Amino acid sequence: TYRVELGLDMHSLPAVVIIRAKSDATVAPLLVYLSDYQEKDGFKLPMQLHVHVKDGPAFADLASQEVYVKTAELRPQYSADDFKP
């Protein structure tokens, strides 16, 4: 299990996320910056995520991972046939 702490931007959207392992203090936390929000299927979705790892007592200045969402379909239209083996 994990504990997630959110920091909101001026539009009340998550801008900063710290993810910590709830039961294992030896697992280093992650810092994630969320940006470039776009509306997709009625949801505001961050299209860029920059992940920073712990570097000594602080988080690294440079992101260890950068995620760019190119497309998103949050309300796909499925039928019963889509779930047949």
Side-chain angles (χ1 to χ4, degrees):
T1 14
Y2 293 89
R3 177 183 176 98
V4 176
E5 301 169 47
L6 298 175
L8 305 179
D9 67 9
M10 64 182 151
H11 304 289
S12 298
L13 294 170
V16 179
V17 180
I18 297 177
I19 303 168
R20 302 176 196 272
K22 192 172 182 180
S23 57
D24 188 354
T26 63
V27 176
L30 296 174
L31 173 68
V32 183
Y33 288 105
L34 309 173
S35 61
D36 189 23
Y37 275 85
Q38 295 179 17
E39 183 137 342
K40 300 288 182 184
D41 296 327
F43 297 95
K44 290 186 179 178
L45 181 69
M47 302 303 281
Q48 294 184 21
L49 296 86
H50 292 210
V51 181
H52 297 258
V53 296
K54 198 86 155 51
D55 185 19
F59 289 99
D61 288 333
L62 295 175
S64 61
Q65 294 179 347
E66 295 181 5
V67 178
Y68 298 91
V69 179
K70 292 184 176 185
T71 62
E73 188 175 337
L74 303 177
R75 297 182 195 264
Q77 300 299 316
Y78 292 115
S79 70
D81 291 337
D82 293 319
F83 298 95
K84 290 183 179 176

